[in-house]
Short mmCIF file of all heavy atoms in Angstrom, two decimals:
data_model
loop_
_atom_site.label_atom_id
_atom_site.label_comp_id
_atom_site.label_asym_id
_atom_site.label_seq_id
_atom_site.Cartn_x
_atom_site.Cartn_y
_atom_site.Cartn_z
N ALA A 17 5.74 -7.26 -13.87
CA ALA A 17 5.52 -8.47 -14.68
C ALA A 17 5.89 -8.24 -16.14
O ALA A 17 6.21 -9.21 -16.85
CB ALA A 17 4.07 -8.92 -14.56
N MET A 18 5.87 -7.00 -16.61
CA MET A 18 6.20 -6.74 -18.00
C MET A 18 7.66 -7.07 -18.32
O MET A 18 8.02 -7.24 -19.49
CB MET A 18 5.89 -5.29 -18.35
CG MET A 18 4.42 -4.98 -18.33
SD MET A 18 4.04 -3.35 -19.03
CE MET A 18 4.84 -2.28 -17.85
N ILE A 19 8.51 -7.14 -17.31
CA ILE A 19 9.90 -7.51 -17.54
C ILE A 19 9.97 -8.93 -18.07
O ILE A 19 10.86 -9.27 -18.85
CB ILE A 19 10.72 -7.34 -16.25
CG1 ILE A 19 10.73 -5.85 -15.84
CG2 ILE A 19 12.14 -7.86 -16.41
CD1 ILE A 19 11.37 -5.59 -14.49
N GLY A 20 9.04 -9.78 -17.62
CA GLY A 20 8.90 -11.10 -18.22
C GLY A 20 9.71 -12.20 -17.60
O GLY A 20 9.87 -13.27 -18.19
N ILE A 21 10.26 -11.99 -16.40
CA ILE A 21 11.03 -13.03 -15.72
C ILE A 21 10.46 -13.24 -14.32
O ILE A 21 9.80 -12.35 -13.77
CB ILE A 21 12.53 -12.66 -15.63
CG1 ILE A 21 12.73 -11.32 -14.91
CG2 ILE A 21 13.16 -12.61 -17.04
CD1 ILE A 21 14.19 -10.93 -14.73
N PRO A 22 10.68 -14.42 -13.70
CA PRO A 22 10.21 -14.63 -12.33
C PRO A 22 10.75 -13.54 -11.40
O PRO A 22 11.92 -13.14 -11.52
CB PRO A 22 10.77 -16.01 -11.97
CG PRO A 22 10.96 -16.70 -13.28
CD PRO A 22 11.35 -15.62 -14.25
N TRP A 23 9.89 -13.09 -10.48
CA TRP A 23 10.28 -11.97 -9.63
C TRP A 23 9.99 -12.29 -8.16
O TRP A 23 8.85 -12.53 -7.77
CB TRP A 23 9.54 -10.70 -10.03
CG TRP A 23 10.31 -9.48 -9.62
CD1 TRP A 23 10.22 -8.81 -8.43
CD2 TRP A 23 11.30 -8.81 -10.40
NE1 TRP A 23 11.11 -7.76 -8.42
CE2 TRP A 23 11.79 -7.74 -9.61
CE3 TRP A 23 11.83 -9.02 -11.67
CZ2 TRP A 23 12.78 -6.86 -10.08
CZ3 TRP A 23 12.81 -8.14 -12.13
CH2 TRP A 23 13.27 -7.08 -11.33
N TYR A 24 11.05 -12.30 -7.36
CA TYR A 24 10.94 -12.54 -5.92
C TYR A 24 10.89 -11.20 -5.18
O TYR A 24 11.37 -10.18 -5.68
CB TYR A 24 12.12 -13.36 -5.42
CG TYR A 24 12.16 -14.77 -5.97
CD1 TYR A 24 12.88 -15.06 -7.14
CD2 TYR A 24 11.50 -15.81 -5.33
CE1 TYR A 24 12.92 -16.36 -7.65
CE2 TYR A 24 11.54 -17.10 -5.83
CZ TYR A 24 12.25 -17.37 -7.00
OH TYR A 24 12.28 -18.64 -7.50
N ASN A 25 10.33 -11.21 -3.98
CA ASN A 25 10.15 -9.97 -3.23
C ASN A 25 10.55 -10.15 -1.76
O ASN A 25 10.26 -11.18 -1.15
CB ASN A 25 8.70 -9.51 -3.30
CG ASN A 25 8.34 -8.99 -4.68
OD1 ASN A 25 8.53 -7.82 -4.98
ND2 ASN A 25 7.84 -9.87 -5.55
N VAL A 26 11.21 -9.12 -1.25
CA VAL A 26 11.61 -9.03 0.16
C VAL A 26 10.73 -7.98 0.81
O VAL A 26 10.42 -6.95 0.19
CB VAL A 26 13.10 -8.65 0.26
CG1 VAL A 26 13.50 -8.38 1.71
CG2 VAL A 26 13.97 -9.74 -0.35
N ILE A 27 10.34 -8.19 2.03
CA ILE A 27 9.46 -7.23 2.70
C ILE A 27 10.28 -6.07 3.27
O ILE A 27 11.40 -6.24 3.74
CB ILE A 27 8.65 -7.93 3.83
CG1 ILE A 27 7.51 -7.03 4.30
CG2 ILE A 27 9.56 -8.35 4.98
CD1 ILE A 27 6.50 -7.76 5.18
N GLY A 28 9.70 -4.85 3.17
CA GLY A 28 10.32 -3.65 3.71
C GLY A 28 9.44 -2.99 4.74
O GLY A 28 8.27 -3.38 4.93
N ASN A 29 9.94 -1.96 5.39
CA ASN A 29 9.18 -1.32 6.46
C ASN A 29 7.97 -0.54 5.94
O ASN A 29 7.06 -0.21 6.71
CB ASN A 29 10.08 -0.38 7.27
CG ASN A 29 10.79 0.65 6.43
OD1 ASN A 29 11.72 0.30 5.69
ND2 ASN A 29 10.39 1.90 6.52
N HIS A 30 7.93 -0.25 4.63
CA HIS A 30 6.75 0.41 4.05
C HIS A 30 5.79 -0.58 3.40
O HIS A 30 4.85 -0.18 2.71
CB HIS A 30 7.18 1.47 3.04
CG HIS A 30 7.78 2.69 3.67
ND1 HIS A 30 7.04 3.63 4.35
CD2 HIS A 30 9.07 3.12 3.74
CE1 HIS A 30 7.83 4.59 4.80
NE2 HIS A 30 9.08 4.29 4.44
N ASP A 31 6.05 -1.88 3.60
CA ASP A 31 5.21 -2.93 3.03
C ASP A 31 4.38 -3.66 4.09
O ASP A 31 3.80 -4.70 3.80
CB ASP A 31 6.09 -3.97 2.31
CG ASP A 31 6.94 -3.35 1.23
OD1 ASP A 31 6.47 -2.42 0.56
OD2 ASP A 31 8.11 -3.80 1.07
N ILE A 32 4.33 -3.13 5.29
CA ILE A 32 3.69 -3.84 6.39
C ILE A 32 2.37 -3.17 6.77
O ILE A 32 2.09 -2.03 6.39
CB ILE A 32 4.61 -3.92 7.62
CG1 ILE A 32 4.95 -2.52 8.15
CG2 ILE A 32 5.89 -4.68 7.28
CD1 ILE A 32 5.80 -2.54 9.42
N ASN A 33 1.56 -3.91 7.53
CA ASN A 33 0.30 -3.37 8.06
C ASN A 33 0.62 -2.54 9.29
O ASN A 33 0.89 -3.08 10.38
CB ASN A 33 -0.65 -4.50 8.41
CG ASN A 33 -1.04 -5.32 7.19
OD1 ASN A 33 -0.41 -6.32 6.85
ND2 ASN A 33 -2.09 -4.88 6.50
N LEU A 34 0.59 -1.23 9.14
CA LEU A 34 0.99 -0.34 10.23
C LEU A 34 -0.01 -0.31 11.38
O LEU A 34 0.30 0.22 12.45
CB LEU A 34 1.21 1.07 9.69
CG LEU A 34 2.33 1.20 8.64
CD1 LEU A 34 2.37 2.62 8.08
CD2 LEU A 34 3.69 0.84 9.24
N ASP A 35 -1.21 -0.87 11.16
CA ASP A 35 -2.19 -0.94 12.24
C ASP A 35 -2.14 -2.28 12.97
O ASP A 35 -2.98 -2.55 13.83
CB ASP A 35 -3.60 -0.68 11.71
CG ASP A 35 -3.97 -1.57 10.53
OD1 ASP A 35 -3.08 -2.27 10.01
OD2 ASP A 35 -5.15 -1.55 10.11
N ALA A 36 -1.14 -3.11 12.65
CA ALA A 36 -1.02 -4.42 13.30
C ALA A 36 -0.55 -4.24 14.74
O ALA A 36 0.28 -3.38 15.05
CB ALA A 36 -0.03 -5.29 12.54
N PRO A 37 -1.06 -5.07 15.66
CA PRO A 37 -0.67 -4.95 17.07
C PRO A 37 0.72 -5.52 17.36
O PRO A 37 1.28 -5.24 18.41
CB PRO A 37 -1.76 -5.73 17.81
CG PRO A 37 -2.22 -6.76 16.81
CD PRO A 37 -2.12 -6.09 15.48
N ASN A 38 1.25 -6.35 16.44
CA ASN A 38 2.54 -6.98 16.70
C ASN A 38 3.20 -7.36 15.38
O ASN A 38 2.60 -7.24 14.31
CB ASN A 38 2.37 -8.20 17.61
CG ASN A 38 1.35 -9.18 17.06
OD1 ASN A 38 1.40 -9.58 15.90
ND2 ASN A 38 0.39 -9.58 17.90
N ASP A 39 4.42 -7.85 15.48
CA ASP A 39 5.18 -8.20 14.28
C ASP A 39 4.55 -9.36 13.53
O ASP A 39 4.53 -9.38 12.28
CB ASP A 39 6.62 -8.53 14.68
CG ASP A 39 7.51 -8.76 13.48
OD1 ASP A 39 7.63 -7.85 12.66
OD2 ASP A 39 8.10 -9.85 13.37
N LYS A 40 4.01 -10.34 14.24
CA LYS A 40 3.44 -11.53 13.62
C LYS A 40 2.34 -11.18 12.63
O LYS A 40 2.23 -11.80 11.56
CB LYS A 40 2.91 -12.47 14.71
CG LYS A 40 2.18 -13.70 14.20
CD LYS A 40 3.11 -14.69 13.52
CE LYS A 40 2.39 -15.97 13.14
NZ LYS A 40 3.27 -16.90 12.37
N LEU A 41 1.53 -10.18 12.96
CA LEU A 41 0.38 -9.83 12.14
C LEU A 41 0.67 -8.66 11.19
O LEU A 41 -0.24 -8.21 10.49
CB LEU A 41 -0.81 -9.49 13.03
CG LEU A 41 -1.35 -10.64 13.89
CD1 LEU A 41 -2.46 -10.16 14.80
CD2 LEU A 41 -1.83 -11.80 13.00
N SER A 42 1.90 -8.19 11.15
CA SER A 42 2.21 -7.03 10.32
C SER A 42 2.45 -7.39 8.86
O SER A 42 2.56 -6.51 8.01
CB SER A 42 3.45 -6.30 10.87
OG SER A 42 4.61 -7.11 10.75
#
């Protein structure tokens, strides 16, 4: 946020819930 511009985010494989039972809940 210190950059000071709107920031969008894409999900990666290290950004998911690894204990989720399926993709929908990850």
